[in-house]
Amino acid sequence: MSMSPQQVQEHMMTYLESTECQIIEKSPFHVTVKLSPQADKQLTNRPYYWGFVERTGVEPETLSFTFVFDPEQYDKNEQTHSDPQSQPQQDSILSRYFGTAPMVPRIGPGRIQREDVTYGSSRLQQIWNAARQEGSALYLFEQPAALQRETLFSAAYEPWLGVCFKAEMACDVKKEELHFVGISLVSGRIISHFPERLKGLTMSPRLPENIHIQPASISLSQASSSLEAYMTRLLADMDYGWAEQAKERLSEELAVIDIYYEDLLKEPDEEKLVGIREQYGNRRSETTWQYEPKVHLSAITCGLFHLRSAR
């Protein structure tokens, strides 16, 4: 799995906009931004500074960054703009007497730091972790059309539990799949592609006017158990040819280790033999862990979605 610079930028911009950062400058290759207090706390690792701000009540000074998503193109673009031939010439008389004034670097609190953000970078992983922590649980309402607010009768909304599961299939290679499924807390109906149910809807954390929520017939614990059972059945029906191939590779690797240690395990010196046996066992354990097929299911995000029943 990999991501293009454009995809990385989309993820970054979504985070920056959702945390209300101030966008100073933007191009296809970079964005210069002044962090909001929320983003500064999550990204800059300044707990002592923010502790001081909270204790004293002073106006916080957040940091600014230039996040570069395509370093090669960004540097090329910067070189073009910094070409002396493309810059306006200073007054020849002034420069004759005083020389050419050098560019003064920006320093102090207003200094803008450059940071390359590409797929696999620690900054991108940090932003994903922050987004996962902030968005691990949602509570949203479908926004009705303007006409609904003017009608005499309130609209019925159906509560849904939506969970995004990550299924990891691992051996000496790894594969991940995301499954966003939803279950109605009224009927118990499960939708396998829940984003299709949400497609085109405007969602808000605020309860809309002139609507009412249908009472749930199943609890959240029952709904989550139903979704886990559904995902277990789904995984059971998958093609596990990759697992059989992994087991074959495991057998081959263990056979190579056994052959290598076969003569070594005949060491007559008991003290040396103890060390060899320990090394042999460790090699087999490490190889088994690496090649043995494993399936792990985890919930990444979840939320309660209140959707109009008539849809």
Side-chain angles (χ1 to χ4, degrees), residues 82-116:
S82 62
D83 188 340
Q85 297 181 358
S86 66
Q87 301 295 325
Q89 297 297 316
Q90 296 192 13
D91 184 271
S92 58
I93 297 177
L94 293 177
S95 62
R96 187 183 307 164
Y97 288 95
F98 300 103
T100 302
M103 295 294 292
V104 179
R106 301 182 62 177
I107 57 176
R111 183 172 64 92
I112 299 179
Q113 306 176 53
R114 168 179 169 169
E115 187 163 337
D116 294 348

Side-chain angles (χ1 to χ4, degrees), residues 255-267 276 280:
V256 170
I257 294 174
D258 291 343
I259 292 173
Y260 176 81
Y261 281 93
E262 183 177 4
D263 292 335
L264 295 177
L265 291 172
K266 298 176 182 178
E267 170 64 46
I276 293 173
Y280 172 60

Side-chain angles (χ1 to χ4, degrees), residues 100-289:
T100 302
M103 295 294 292
V104 179
R106 301 182 62 177
I107 57 176
R111 183 172 64 92
I112 299 179
Q113 306 176 53
R114 168 179 169 169
E115 187 163 337
D116 294 348
V117 181
T118 57
Y119 180 71
S121 65
S122 59
R123 180 64 77 186
L124 183 61
Q125 185 62 50
Q126 186 184 30
I127 288 171
W128 282 347
N129 291 338
R132 185 180 298 114
Q133 182 178 0
E134 291 294 317
S136 59
L138 305 172
Y139 195 82
L140 298 174
F141 298 87
E142 176 186 348
Q143 291 300 291
L147 183 61
Q148 173 59 38
R149 298 186 179 95
E150 301 173 1
T151 60
L152 296 176
F153 302 100
S154 65
Y157 272 33
E158 183 179 10
W160 289 76
L161 172 64
V163 180
C164 183
F165 290 98
K166 180 172 72 172
E168 299 177 82
M169 285 70 73
C171 49
D172 53 322
V173 293
K174 187 176 181 180
K175 178 183 177 182
E176 296 180 348
E177 293 181 356
L178 295 180
H179 299 268
F180 192 6
V181 297
I183 180 172
S184 168
L185 299 184
V186 175
S187 66
R189 182 166 67 98
I190 293 177
I191 296 179
S192 58
H193 300 286
F194 194 55
E196 292 296 322
R197 178 68 174 80
L198 304 176
K199 188 175 182 180
L201 302 182
T202 301
M203 309 297 294
S204 170
R206 295 186 177 182
L207 177 68
E209 299 176 358
N210 205 21
I211 67 103
H212 67 273
I213 307 298
Q214 291 180 289
S217 61
I218 59 176
S219 66
L220 287 176
S221 60
Q222 291 173 326
S224 60
S225 297
S226 296
L227 289 181
E228 290 176 5
Y230 171 83
M231 287 302 304
T232 300
R233 293 193 298 270
L234 183 68
L235 294 176
D237 292 336
M238 292 177 59
D239 180 9
Y240 283 91
W242 63 272
E244 296 301 325
Q245 295 172 3
K247 289 180 180 180
E248 292 177 3
R249 293 194 298 273
L250 172 60
S251 298
E252 293 172 357
E253 291 295 324
L254 291 178
V256 170
I257 294 174
D258 291 343
I259 292 173
Y260 176 81
Y261 281 93
E262 183 177 4
D263 292 335
L264 295 177
L265 291 172
K266 298 176 182 178
E267 170 64 46
D269 189 321
E270 187 64 28
E271 185 174 348
K272 291 183 179 179
L273 182 60
V274 170
I276 293 173
R277 285 174 176 171
E278 182 179 359
Q279 187 182 65
Y280 172 60
N282 291 338
R283 286 288 302 276
R284 283 186 62 91
S285 297
E286 291 170 0
T287 302
T288 300
W289 178 87

